[in-house]
Structure formats: C-alpha cells, structure tokens
Amino acid sequence: MSEIYAIVVFLFVLFALLGGSVWIGLALMGVAWAGMELFTVRPAGDAMITTIWSGASSWTLTALPLFIWMGEILYRTRLSEDMFRGLAPWMRFLPGGLLHTNIAGCTIFAAVSGSSAATLNMVGKMSIPELRKRGYPEFMIIGTLAGAATLGLMIPPSLTLIVYGVTINESITKLFMAGVFPGLVLAGLFMLYIMAWHVLYKGQRPEPEPAMPLRERIAESRFLLPLFGLVFVVIGSMYLGYATATEAAAVGVFGALALSAMQGSLDWTTFKQALMGATKTSAMIAFILMGAAFLSLSMGFTGLPRALAALIDSYNLSPVALIAVLTVFYLILGMFMDGLSSVVLTMAIVEPMIRSAGIDVIWFGIFLVVVIETAQVTPPIGFNLFVLQGMTRHEIGYIAKTAIPMVGLMLLMVVILVVWPELATWLPDNIRQGPGG
C-alpha cells in the first residue's frame, strides 16, 4: 500500500506542476523534492545540490551541446541546400521519383544533426517547394517527411541516445553504433512505402522527370561531398576507435565551421545564431536532465522502482511480453510528452525491470528510440506534426492522417528488432573502443 500511496503522490505533484505550465526540469525537481520530504529522512536540499551538480557536470554530456551546435551550423548555412541539389539527380529515376529525396535527405542530415526537429526543418524547407512545383501529391510529401525526419533520433549522432546513455551510465559510442543498421533499415522501409505508392496509385504520379545525362548527374553529386566527408569523419572516428563521442562531436563542429566558411555561407550573424540556438537547446535539455537525476535519487530512496520491478517480475512476463507492455506504455506516454522527457522520467523505474529480465540495455536503447520516434508523429503532442503545421499551414488532423502509414512502418520496425536483435547489437559488439568508451 505504501508504494501505491507514493505513486499517487508522485503523479499528483507531477501533473499539478505540468498542468500549471511549470518547466519540465523544474516539475521533475518539484516531484523529487516532495518525495524526499514525504518519504525519506534525508535533507532534500543537500541531496538536490549534490545530485544536480553531479548530473550536470558529466563529461559524457559535453557531446550533447557540440552535436546540437554542429546541426545548427549546417541548418543555417548553404550546406543544406547543396544536399538537395546533389541528391535529386539520383532519386528522380526511382519508383516514386523525387519523394525519395525526403528519405535520403533526412537520413544524411540525421547523420550530422541528431535532432528530429532540425532534420525536419532543414529538409522540409528544401524539398516541400520543389516537390509541390513538380506536382507530387501533398499527402505523400508531408507524410514521408513527417516519418523520415524521426531518423534524426536514431542515426548517430542522436541526442536521445546521448540522454539515454547518460541516464543509465552506458557507452554513448556503443549506443551510436547500435543505431546505424536499424536507422538504415527504417529508411529502407520508408522508401519501399514510396515505391508501393508509385505502383499502386498510378493516377497520382506526377509527370516523369526529364532525362539527365550521367555526366551531369555526377557533376551535381559534387555538392554532396562536403556532407559525406563530415559524416565519415564523425561516425568513422568513433567506429574505428580513434575518438569518443565527445571528441567526434568536437571534430564535427570544427568540420561544419570549416566547410561553411570555405563555401562562403558562414558570416558573423549566422555564427551567432547557430551558437545561440545550440546554447538554448542544450540548456533546456541539461535542465531536464538535472531534474531527472534528482527524481531518480528520490525514487531510489522511496524504494518505488524496486517495488514496481518486483511487481512486474512477479507476473513472470517473458522478455517479449515485457517489451510489448513497454511499447504500449511509451506510445501512450509519448502522446503527451516529448521524447527526451519520456526517457529521463521513466528510466529510474524501467531500467531495473529490463536488467532483471535479461534485456540488453544497448538493444533497449534502440527499441526505445523507435517507439519515441513513433510518438513524435502521433497526436496530440506529436512534435513533428506541429513543426510541419507551421511549415505547411495544414490542419493538424490532416498532417496526422498523412503520417499514419509511417507510424505503421515504425511499429513494424519494433517487431523487426525483436525478431532480429542482432540488427542493433552486432555493430557495438564489434567496434574498436577508443579511450573513454
């Protein structure tokens, strides 16, 4: 009964604070404070100071603002425009035509951004006007973009995976490597969906693209070289063991600055905007992580995570049944909270469960990202839906309908991960570890 009482108090305080429009970081601290005061004898103030400092001063966390800054630089310079220009000649002859630039563009930009919103903004601003001009159906333009933008959460560098790794004290580099193959498989599923539309709905196809000589296509591909080089340096340095995630992020920032400067699209105003954008986003995420660290400590003192883990353990659920329950749980949670908040709010309770069930924490991180990706395009708080609404001025209901097939494909990806867990675990098990992991 004491555990039930604690759960009721925690949830009441949390929803009261969130309902009062209190920042998520402060709301988490408020819940933790209430738990410490009501259920423990330890001074809440001392515990909060110590926990917040240790949570915010984690060396692993320094990768977060650096990757955010790299994405901001690319988003605000001409590198993003060049990417579309280089991709279009190779996508136009596939079944589905230039709709594939949404998938390929999001995949490439995800590999240097880590943010779903940044990926959606950058690719959407480039592709939506071009695809409309060529007569592609609006629901396909928006639906494929809504789904593909979520690849920014999985393909390294992923901000969600950094937060997950910091929360459970796991290697960020291994988590990044675990996301590579599942991210590419999910991108492949999205492209297959476009091809299926092309075959099944012939009347909706736009006019075929004019022929382009091979020499011209190769010439246009030169615009992709800077981004491909940056992806290779960032991900390759981690895979080959030459750099940790933090060091690779620093190299990525330097590379993005150098490329945009050589291109001539980096000026003082752009530099300041990118730096301030990264600072604001990083501060927001760090604040949430501080609150989550204090909440984890508070819950640990109350014994609530252990009690809930023991309760679920008493049902003797198989790992697959536990994953099914957690899928539904995170989908419901993701309908009302953003992905980062869902991770930090629940890991204190969920981590003991998955470890006691024998589920690989690296694999679980990728599973978690796929489910959170799905929640990004499900109402009422589907963050990608709101970003697309601002870009296209469509009703939120219409945008949500266009994304339904992509939600189905992401749920299919969960099944694929359960059936073939090696998809996520093979690469991290075989990478060379650099100093610091």
Side-chain angles (χ1 to χ4, degrees):
M1 288 300 294
S2 60
E3 284 83 10
I4 295 174
Y5 175 57
I7 291 172
V8 170
V9 170
F10 275 124
L11 290 178
F12 175 77
V13 176
L14 177 65
F15 287 122
L17 291 172
L18 291 176
S21 299
V22 176
W23 291 348
I24 291 175
L26 282 177
L28 295 178
M29 290 181 196
V31 175
W33 184 282
M36 292 290 288
E37 289 291 346
L38 292 174
F39 303 111
T40 73
V41 294
R42 182 168 177 176
D46 292 345
M48 183 174 74
I49 292 167
T50 306
T51 309
I52 284 177
W53 171 252
S54 61
S57 59
S58 164
W59 171 249
T60 310
L61 201 57
T62 53
L64 189 68
L66 290 170
F67 278 127
I68 293 172
W69 191 14
M70 181 174 70
E72 286 279 344
I73 294 164
L74 295 171
Y75 167 57
R76 296 175 190 278
T77 59
R78 210 173 67 235
L79 286 166
S80 54
E81 297 174 34
D82 285 353
M83 183 182 69
F84 186 87
R85 186 173 173 182
L87 280 175
W90 300 100
M91 300 291 116
R92 62 173 63 201
F93 301 111
L94 292 174
L98 289 179
L99 282 171
H100 291 287
T101 56
N102 275 348
I103 314 300
C106 287
T107 304
I108 294 171
F109 194 74
V112 286
S113 165
S115 165
S116 173
T119 300
L120 180 56
N121 257 304
M122 193 284 298
V123 179
K125 284 178 179 176
M126 296 303 105
S127 69
I128 290 175
E130 293 292 330
L131 294 173
R132 281 174 172 170
K133 191 165 62 180
R134 288 167 167 82
Y136 284 89
E138 188 77 359
F139 75 93
M140 285 297 292
I141 297 173
I142 295 171
T144 54
L145 190 57
T150 62
L151 292 167
L153 296 178
M154 181 187 293
I155 294 177
S158 161
L159 305 187
T160 307
L161 286 176
I162 293 175
V163 170
Y164 173 77
V166 170
T167 307
I168 68 163
N169 196 27
E170 189 54 71
S171 166
I172 305 297
T173 304
K174 284 194 170 187
L175 285 166
F176 278 0
M177 292 304 105
V180 172
F181 289 150
L184 293 176
V185 170
L186 187 56
L189 290 176
F190 291 156
M191 294 183 86
L192 286 174
Y193 164 67
I194 293 173
M195 292 179 185
W197 162 81
H198 179 86
V199 171
L200 296 174
Y201 298 95
K202 297 179 181 178
Q204 297 177 2
R205 297 179 192 172
E207 289 296 315
E209 294 291 324
M212 179 181 277
L214 180 61
R215 180 182 295 179
E216 226 176 290
R217 278 187 272 167
I218 294 172
E220 290 292 290
S221 299
R222 72 185 187 277
F223 292 105
L224 289 174
L225 292 178
L227 269 179
F228 277 142
L230 193 59
V231 170
F232 176 78
V233 170
V234 172
I235 298 179
S237 62
M238 288 187 287
Y239 176 74
L240 296 172
Y242 291 120
T244 63
T246 304
E247 292 160 352
V251 171
V253 169
F254 179 79
L257 287 170
L259 287 172
S260 51
M262 286 190 289
Q263 190 191 50
S265 60
L266 180 69
D267 54 31
W268 181 240
T269 303
T270 306
F271 179 83
K272 281 196 300 183
Q273 288 175 343
L275 186 58
M276 286 307 298
T279 302
K280 289 175 183 176
T281 305
S282 303
M284 180 265 293
I285 294 173
F287 201 36
I288 292 173
L289 285 173
M290 290 178 196
F294 186 32
L295 181 59
S296 296
L297 178 76
S298 175
M299 283 189 158
F301 274 114
T302 63
L304 189 56
R306 289 189 299 276
L308 285 175
L311 177 64
I312 291 177
D313 192 46
S314 68
Y315 290 122
N316 294 317
L317 293 175
S318 67
V320 173
L322 178 59
I323 288 299
V325 170
L326 289 175
T327 300
V328 175
F329 169 69
Y330 276 109
L331 283 175
I332 294 171
L333 193 64
M335 290 180 182
F336 304 97
M337 300 183 72
D338 67 277
L340 290 176
S341 302
S342 300
V343 173
V344 296
L345 189 62
T346 58
M347 283 320 296
I349 294 173
V350 172
E351 186 186 357
M353 294 181 198
I354 60 171
R355 289 191 187 274
S356 64
I359 296 171
D360 189 302
V361 291
I362 299 288
W363 179 91
F364 186 79
I366 303 307
F367 155 80
L368 191 58
V369 166
V370 176
V371 180
I372 287 172
E373 280 180 343
T374 310
Q376 292 281 302
V377 288
T378 51
I381 314 292
F383 188 66
N384 283 10
L385 303 182
F386 290 122
V387 175
L388 270 172
Q389 185 185 33
M391 293 170 68
T392 63
R393 304 301 175 193
H394 285 298
E395 290 292 325
I396 197 75
Y398 173 79
I399 297 173
K401 283 179 189 174
T402 67
I404 288 173
M406 314 307 274
V407 171
L409 291 173
M410 284 186 264
L411 293 177
L412 174 61
M413 188 67 215
V414 172
V415 176
I416 291 172
L417 279 172
V418 171
V419 176
W420 292 289
E422 299 82 9
L423 198 63
T425 57
W426 183 85
L427 197 55
D429 286 343
N430 290 276
I431 60 170
R432 290 172 53 192
Q433 281 287 288

